């Protein structure tokens, strides 16, 4: 790179860093009118968050200046005195590099991985601007989710922190298998995450971990969007599910199971799964197992809401998909209501990619409409989600030593949870990405 050009670029980066908080070791004071530092506890009034080098270094009462806060004299101050401030939100179930639409099936054969990654850059930005500073990506083709995760971690791309699963592990003809194409195309597209029998399923887990998976996802039941007539019932034997889960745990990875029907839910729970995704047909055994095992339910009500609307109002879904969607969408709400009445642990997840990226917060309204108090829904997207992801030491609350993942809205979301659909301020790891409702210029690290 030309020396003069490099110097000019470095100067520009430094100038923008002063505005965005991207400069290393800079101290920022955030004056929070109302602060929900630990969701599930009472919000506090007139607090100062001290942010240093991307971490929360202190939380202090009052609107303090630098001297009173024990901060350097040149510390910047961000005025959120009229706002409600809380930890960055966490979505435990997204598909960050894709989005369901009329050409979704064609995209499988027409789009190169490079195009998919670039789509993911757009979707990641929308997700971050919506206030979600961490997501768990439970299925992206090839290594696209891993590549996007790594670029964000390096500061090259703007987006939430991503924990990526890679490809979902499924059996032949199962929910994760390729379907709807000619035999020749099907064989060309079939991923190595397809397995049959316990030994082969162990191999599939190890392949995803070799590629860089942070978490493992399997499908113990059919799904709405797989275009086969097998429905949403159990699709995996116990030895297969247990082989997948035991292998992942042996290698230090948590496991999420796509599971609609009770048979597949209960199979996954008996086998030691860490979270059940969707849980559309929970029965009393499911409730009992969820509580006994300490596993989380990730309800994805927004996915159910979305596919029901698509089935009724568009031609995006095939007839087989639409029939499943109309049934599953309604069952999800009833199962979720039953789960919260019985004290099941819940972590927030939307299945965004089925729904539009950036609309993740609509899940809160659906959760509250189904009977969950707003304060508990917020806790599900912060404290509980951080626990499920094994990230409680870094995210989920705003306490000294944790990442400065901070958002703000105009009014209390505990009183009106839809406020979380109108996020005005977003900081991720100390860098401001959105302020006063507008995006802040992002400068990639060089």
């Amino acid at each position: 790179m030309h020396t003069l050009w490099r110097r000019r670029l470095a100067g520009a980066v430094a100038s923008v860093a002063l505005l965005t908080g991207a400069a290393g070791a800079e101290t920022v004071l955030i004056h929070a009118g109302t602060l929900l530092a630990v969701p599930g506890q009472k919000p506090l009034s007139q607090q100062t968050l001290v942010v240093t080098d991307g971490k929360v270094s202190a939380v202090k009462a009052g609107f303090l200046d630098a001297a009173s806060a024990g901060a350097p004299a040149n510390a910047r101050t961000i005025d959120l005195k009229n706002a409600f401030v809380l930890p960055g939100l966490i979505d435990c179930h997204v598909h960050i590099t894709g989005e369901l639409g009329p050409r979704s099936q064609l995209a499988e054969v027409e789009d190169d991985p490079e195009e998919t990654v670039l789509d993911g850059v757009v979707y990641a930005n929308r997700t971050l601007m919506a206030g979600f500073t961490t997501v768990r990506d439970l299925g992206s083709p090839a290594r696209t989710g891993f590549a996007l995760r790594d670029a964000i971690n390096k500061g090259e791309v703007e987006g939430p922190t991503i924990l990526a699963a890679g490809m979902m592990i499924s059996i032949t003809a199962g929910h994760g298998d390729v379907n709807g194409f000619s035999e020749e195309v099907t064989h060309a597209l079939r991923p190595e995450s397809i397995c049959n029998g316990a030994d082969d399923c162990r191999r599939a887990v190890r392949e995803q971990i070799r590629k860089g998976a942070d978490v493992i996802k399997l499908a113990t039941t059919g799904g709405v969007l797989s275009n086969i007539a097998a429905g949403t019932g159990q699709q995996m034997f116990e030895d297969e599910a247990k082989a997948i889960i035991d292998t992942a745990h042996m290698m230090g990875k948590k496991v999420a199971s796509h599971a609609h029907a009770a048979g597949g839910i209960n199979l996954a729970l008996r086998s030691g799964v860490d979270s059940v995704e969707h849980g559309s047909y929970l029965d009393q055994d499911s409730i009992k197992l969820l509580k006994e095992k300490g596993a989380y339910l990730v309800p994805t009500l927004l996915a159910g809401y979305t596919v029901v609307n698509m089935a009724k109002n568009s031609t995006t879904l095939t007839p087989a998909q639409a029939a499943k969607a109309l049934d599953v969408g309604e069952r999800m709400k009833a199962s979720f209501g039953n789960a919260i009445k019985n004290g099941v642990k819940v972590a927030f997840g939307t299945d965004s990619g089925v729904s539009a990226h950036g609309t993740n917060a609509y899940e809160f309204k659906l959760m509250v409409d189904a009977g969950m108090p707003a304060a508990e829904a917020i806790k599900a997207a912060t404290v509980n989600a951080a626990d499920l992801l094994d990230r409680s030491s870094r995210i989920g609350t705003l306490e000294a030593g944790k990442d400065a993942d901070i958002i703000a809205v105009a009014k209390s979301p505990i009183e009106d949870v839809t406020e979380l659909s109108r996020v005005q301020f977003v900081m991720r790891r100390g860098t401001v990405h959105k302020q006063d409702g507008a995006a802040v210029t992002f400068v990639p690290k060089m």
Side-chain angles (χ1 to χ4, degrees):
M1 186 184 294
H2 193 280
T3 303
L4 179 59
W5 190 88
R6 183 186 290 275
R7 286 174 181 168
R8 287 176 176 171
L9 181 59
V13 170
S15 297
V16 177
L18 291 174
L19 295 174
T20 64
E26 184 194 18
T27 297
V28 179
L29 307 179
I30 298 176
H31 289 167
T34 304
L35 176 65
L36 184 62
V38 181
Q41 297 183 12
K42 184 179 179 180
L44 305 171
S45 297
Q46 298 188 5
Q47 300 288 302
T48 297
L49 285 160
V50 184
V51 174
T52 305
D53 197 20
K55 299 280 188 181
V56 176
S57 53
V59 182
K60 301 189 177 186
F63 295 142
L64 305 183
D65 59 19
S68 302
N74 64 347
R76 291 190 305 120
T77 299
I78 295 175
D79 183 358
L80 296 177
K81 292 176 183 174
N82 295 319
F84 189 103
V85 179
L86 66 159
L89 303 173
I90 305 166
D91 192 330
C92 293
H93 191 136
V94 304
H95 299 278
I96 200 67
T97 61
E99 196 168 276
L100 182 61
R103 71 173 297 273
S104 291
Q105 189 173 31
L106 274 178
E108 292 187 56
V109 292
E110 290 185 347
D111 292 358
D112 291 320
E114 294 84 355
E115 295 176 81
T116 305
V117 172
L118 290 173
D119 286 342
V121 170
V122 174
Y123 300 143
N125 178 269
R126 290 178 187 170
T127 302
L128 182 63
M129 292 302 131
F132 289 82
T133 52
T134 301
V135 299
R136 187 174 61 161
D137 179 35
L138 288 185
S140 292
R143 289 196 72 258
T144 55
F146 302 146
L148 181 59
R149 172 199 64 193
D150 296 346
I152 291 170
N153 285 341
K154 292 174 185 175
E156 297 168 348
V157 171
E158 192 171 39
T161 302
I162 295 174
L163 279 76
M167 296 293 289
M168 177 172 66
I169 297 174
S170 172
I171 49 90
T172 298
H175 180 53
D177 199 0
V178 178
N179 54 74
F181 299 103
S182 69
E183 276 298 293
E184 185 176 357
V185 173
T186 296
H187 284 290
L189 293 178
R190 175 168 284 156
E192 59 193 12
S193 56
I194 300 302
C195 65
N196 297 284
D199 285 343
D200 194 30
C201 287
R202 292 186 187 96
R203 173 205 54 81
V205 173
R206 290 166 180 152
E207 290 283 359
Q208 294 309 304
I209 293 173
R210 179 186 62 80
K211 289 182 176 183
D214 300 301
V215 60
I216 294 297
K217 183 188 180 188
L218 76 156
T220 53
T221 75
V224 172
L225 297 180
S226 45
N227 191 28
I228 53 178
T232 56
Q234 181 176 333
Q235 291 187 347
M236 191 172 279
F237 288 110
E238 189 147 355
D239 65 332
E240 293 170 321
K242 196 167 190 318
I244 291 166
I245 294 167
D246 285 351
T247 304
H249 285 169
M250 180 184 293
M251 300 185 79
K253 308 298 180 183
K254 283 197 168 184
V255 186
S257 179
H258 161 101
H260 285 293
I265 294 169
N266 299 345
L267 164 65
L269 290 167
R270 287 193 306 270
S271 301
V273 81
D274 300 289
S275 67
V276 169
E277 314 297 308
H278 316 306
S280 306
Y281 300 88
L282 294 173
D283 61 14
Q284 287 310 114
D285 286 339
S286 309
I287 300 290
K288 181 181 178 182
L289 283 165
L290 279 160
K291 296 177 73 173
E292 280 182 2
K293 301 289 187 178
Y296 277 95
L297 172 66
V298 180
T300 69
L301 301 180
L302 182 54
Y305 174 86
T306 299
V307 295
V308 166
N309 284 339
M310 284 182 174
K312 291 180 177 178
N313 303 311
S314 78
T315 58
T316 297
L317 304 183
T318 67
Q321 292 169 335
K324 289 183 284 185
L326 291 170
D327 186 38
V328 168
E330 292 303 314
R331 297 293 188 109
M332 275 185 172
K333 290 187 289 186
S335 286
F336 176 67
N338 189 32
I340 59 176
K341 285 178 186 175
N342 283 281
V344 167
K345 294 197 302 185
V346 173
F348 184 98
T350 61
D351 209 359
S352 288
V354 175
S355 53
H357 294 286
T359 65
N360 312 54
Y362 196 74
E363 180 85 14
F364 288 110
K365 181 181 186 303
L366 297 174
M367 294 168 82
V368 170
D369 287 349
M372 177 173 267
E376 288 299 307
I378 296 167
K379 185 178 177 183
T382 50
V383 175
N384 291 5
D387 180 51
L388 173 58
L389 303 187
D390 268 345
R391 292 295 188 275
S392 295
S393 63
R394 294 194 61 169
I395 58 176
T397 64
L398 296 176
E399 299 174 282
K402 294 198 176 183
D403 290 351
D405 289 358
I406 302 167
I407 68 168
V409 292
K411 301 174 184 177
S412 170
I414 297 172
E415 296 176 7
D416 178 6
V417 80
T418 66
E419 276 296 309
L420 293 173
S421 295
R422 298 179 286 277
V423 170
Q424 297 185 343
F425 174 87
V426 177
M427 172 184 278
R428 175 184 168 269
R429 296 186 179 179
T431 296
V432 177
H433 294 273
K434 186 177 188 180
Q435 192 162 359
D436 300 324
V440 175
T441 302
F442 172 71
V443 178
K445 288 183 181 178
M446 301 304 294

